[in-house]
Amino acid sequence: MDLRHAVRGRVLLPGEDGFDEAAGPWAVGVRQPVSAVVEAEDAADVAALVRYAREAGLTVTAQPSGHGASGDVQGVILLRTARLDEVEVDAPARLARVGAGVRWGRVLAETGRHGLTGPVGSSPAVTVAGFLAGGGVSWFGRAYGWAADSVRAFEIVDADGEQVRVTAESDGELFWALRGGGGDYALITSIELALYPAPSVYGGRITWPATHAGAVFDAFRRVTADAPRELSVWVNRMAPPPPAPAMVGVDVTYLGDDAEAKALLTAFDEIGGSVSDTRGLMDIADLGTIAAEPTDPSPMLARTELLTGLDEATLDTLAGADLAPLLNLQVRHLGGALSEADPAGGAGGPLAEPYLLYLLGLRLPHLADAVRGKQAALVEALGQAVSGRKPYTFLAPGDHAAQAFPAGTLARLREVKRDRDPYGVFRANFPVLD
């Protein structure tokens, strides 16, 4: 059967008008040599695609928004799920049902009306399904753990092309793998997600000239040393292309009122000389504005590492190393509930490292090699402060799933993969069997 007769959604093949745009990931410059792009109409259409792929001996990879693409998709069918766009909020039960194509910005607009929030990350443009499949490091991860730990049920299409609802009670092993194991086991069509009360949320960004980096990083270490779980603080060294000036900044969120937040952040106020300060009480729907991340596809080249701590040598490197040609060096405070995640609850397990390092440059032909070289040099300079593990949700081209999970977890995920997808119908961005 021809693919166009198997599904109702739009099908694009190589060489056709619109194919290159449809096949492109969010990270411009990552090539995706897929055999077709299918824009599914609904969950039944996803099921039809899986049955077609199984019978034809083909593989399907799902990229709701294209974030996190590895480029390792030679000859596969690329599934887009933008039309799976339902959002239903049950405020009394503190639950949301979210389709696989829905982005976080829309979910927060809906939940915020009820004084509720989901476990959202820094970007409003990332889809809920893609974020949760990789575990998800949320603004509120210190309070509530991995974002995936908030999932109460998945609606999926399995390798037989059947639509199935998966919960901890109905299929504990698959549910565990889907909560942060990378999405290699089924195609998610919707998610039932726990929401959290947020009657007041404090957040924003403070920036200083780059000459204040040492003081800002020192304050960051002191503030995060005993921060409550409700407080998340991320520090950035920003080096935009000239003539824009280099800056250092702090992004914060706090699940509480402004007086409490200000008291916790006095170390930053004592620095003085800030250029801007947007902190204050804010609407849930505006959380995605804090980090000011691009919402359109961009030629970004990122590397992420986890840090075991911030001793003097590590702090000096982070605050003082030359960044060129990078655009940003970011350190996020983790810990709290992330460090105590139940290994039985989801594939992410406990995240022992207290800090996450994110190094960002441009994936442009004349810059990419230099960006990779600078990222590698900074990681080498940090030495033993780099643990070697990477959260799955932050894996980038050239990384592997084995970097995201302890050996025992990876072995268990591989067993789930072999058992639930014996035909090899599904391929995640970073497959667990590679």
Side-chain angles (χ1 to χ4, degrees):
M1 180 188 298
D2 180 81
L3 178 56
R4 285 195 168 96
H5 292 106
V7 299
R8 290 176 288 113
R10 186 169 75 141
V11 175
L12 289 164
L13 301 177
E16 295 180 345
D17 289 345
F19 174 83
D20 290 341
E21 181 180 0
W26 187 86
V28 174
V30 175
R31 183 172 173 270
Q32 298 211 106
V34 297
S35 63
V37 177
V38 174
E39 299 172 350
E41 285 291 333
D42 50 28
D45 215 21
V46 174
L49 173 61
V50 171
R51 291 192 294 270
Y52 170 86
R54 178 186 168 186
E55 292 171 4
L58 299 173
T59 301
V60 179
T61 189
Q63 289 181 15
S65 62
H67 286 81
S70 67
D72 185 16
V73 288
Q74 179 70 46
V76 309
I77 299 172
L78 176 60
L79 170 66
R80 299 294 195 193
T81 55
R83 291 190 177 91
L84 281 69
D85 60 356
E86 67 276 8
V87 177
E88 301 171 5
V89 176
D90 184 343
R94 293 181 184 169
L95 291 172
R97 181 177 178 273
V98 181
V102 178
R103 299 174 189 250
W104 271 112
R106 183 174 164 214
V107 173
L108 293 182
E110 296 290 339
T111 64
R113 298 188 182 110
H114 306 282
L116 299 170
T117 184
V120 61
S122 54
S123 172
V126 173
T127 61
V128 175
F131 186 66
L132 297 174
V137 176
S138 167
W139 274 121
F140 309 126
R142 289 177 38 75
Y144 301 119
W146 292 100
D149 293 347
S150 296
V151 176
R152 297 296 174 260
F154 293 94
E155 293 178 17
I156 61 137
V157 173
D158 66 18
D160 292 318
E162 298 294 329
Q163 298 181 58
V164 182
R165 176 180 167 85
V166 179
T167 67
E169 294 73 30
S170 70
D171 190 337
E173 199 68 0
L174 180 56
F175 185 72
W176 170 84
L178 290 171
R179 294 216 296 180
D184 217 5
Y185 325 96
L187 293 179
I188 297 170
T189 56
S190 71
I191 292 170
E192 186 177 289
L193 182 67
L195 303 175
Y196 301 100
S200 74
V201 173
Y202 178 95
R205 167 176 282 184
I206 324 166
T207 61
W208 297 263
T211 52
H212 290 61
V216 173
F217 272 77
D218 180 68
F220 173 73
R221 177 172 60 176
R222 288 185 282 121
V223 169
T224 58
D226 57 2
R229 295 178 179 224
E230 294 79 13
L231 178 67
S232 289
V233 185
W234 304 347
V235 63
N236 300 272
R237 287 181 60 197
M238 297 165 281
M247 307 289 287
V248 60
V250 170
D251 298 336
V252 303
T253 62
Y254 180 65
L255 286 166
D257 64 38
D258 54 348
E260 293 169 346
K262 290 175 182 176
L264 292 166
L265 298 168
T266 54
F268 296 115
D269 294 315
E270 291 169 354
I271 295 171
S274 64
V275 174
S276 65
D277 187 347
T278 65
R279 290 174 299 166
L281 293 177
M282 63 190 311
D283 291 337
I284 294 296
D286 294 332
L287 281 168
T289 67
I290 295 174
E293 295 182 3
T295 55
D296 293 325
S298 303
M300 297 302 182
L301 178 55
R303 177 167 176 171
T304 301
E305 302 288 347
L306 292 171
L307 301 178
T308 58
L310 293 179
D311 61 20
E312 288 296 335
T314 300
L315 208 65
D316 288 347
T317 299
L318 294 171
D322 175 43
L323 291 188
L326 301 186
L327 296 176
N328 192 34
L329 178 156
Q330 181 185 78
V331 181
R332 299 186 181 190
H333 185 211
L334 304 177
L338 285 165
S339 65
E340 301 166 358
D342 182 0
L351 192 59
E353 295 89 342
Y355 297 96
L356 180 148
L357 172 67
Y358 184 71
L359 303 170
L360 183 67
L362 290 175
R363 189 187 298 274
L364 297 175
H366 66 290
L367 284 177
D369 287 344
V371 167
R372 293 188 186 96
K374 177 59 71 172
Q375 291 168 336
L378 284 169
V379 171
E380 182 177 1
L382 290 166
Q384 295 301 309
V386 176
S387 74
R389 182 183 176 186
K390 302 168 184 274
Y392 189 100
T393 192
F394 281 98
L395 294 179
D399 292 335
H400 304 279
Q403 296 171 280
F405 306 108
T409 300
L410 183 63
R412 184 177 172 187
L413 288 170
R414 286 171 170 169
E415 283 302 307
V416 176
K417 172 66 173 177
R418 294 186 186 101
D419 182 60
R420 305 311 167 90
D421 185 20
Y423 322 110
V425 175
F426 307 123
R427 185 175 185 83
N429 286 327
F430 300 91
V432 297
L433 288 179
D434 278 13

